[in-house]
Amino acid sequence: QVQLVESGGGLVQAGGSLRLSCAASGTIVSISVMGWYRQAPGKQRELVAAITPGGRTNYADFVKGRFTISRDNARNTVFLQMNSLTPSDTGVYYCNVQRIGRDYWGQGTQVTVSS
């Protein structure tokens, strides 16, 4: 099993920044892709960004140029630096880790951007 603990969400004004962190523990050998998803009220969960162990990244179009995903393989931690936030970025952000064909999810952290 993989346990994920997220931190860094909160309330911020439009144009502000937040940094999310997600630390993986437990059976962490062979963790592959780490990423962040978000779910706005009344909407489906959607991919925000993902990163491979080698550092290859994938971003949703709506965050390109504003968000940066990174990871520390030694600490099994993934980060999401979010800049130029807008109210449309409001939602619950979930950490996701893939390991041997299985997905693991964090409990979610709320991000609220006020106008």
Side-chain angles (χ1 to χ4, degrees), residues 15-16 21 23-24 27 46 50 65 72 75 78 83 86 94 97 103 108-109 115:
S21 299
T27 308
E46 59 185 355
D72 182 336
R75 293 193 294 163
V78 62
N83 299 327
T86 72
Y94 295 91
V97 165
D103 283 290
T109 185
S115 58

Side-chain angles (χ1 to χ4, degrees), residues 9-10 12 16 18 28 33 35 48 62 66 70 75 83 87 99 112-113:
V12 64
L18 285 173
I28 55 178
V33 177
V48 175
F62 53 78
R66 300 189 299 126
S70 60
R75 293 193 294 163
N83 299 327
R99 179 182 179 274
T112 303
V113 185

Side-chain angles (χ1 to χ4, degrees), residues 55-74:
R56 185 178 301 176
T57 58
N58 179 38
Y59 293 96
D61 286 343
F62 53 78
V63 302
K64 285 182 179 177
R66 300 189 299 126
F67 293 9
T68 302
I69 190 170
S70 60
R71 66 190 283 173
D72 182 336
N73 290 327

Side-chain angles (χ1 to χ4, degrees), residues 75-87:
R75 293 193 294 163
N76 299 298
T77 302
V78 62
F79 307 95
L80 185 68
Q81 178 66 44
M82 306 186 292
N83 299 327
S84 302
L85 286 160
T86 72

Side-chain angles (χ1 to χ4, degrees), residues 8-13 17-18 110-114:
L11 173 64
V12 64
Q13 288 188 332
S17 299
L18 285 173
Q110 177 69 44
V111 171
T112 303
V113 185
S114 62

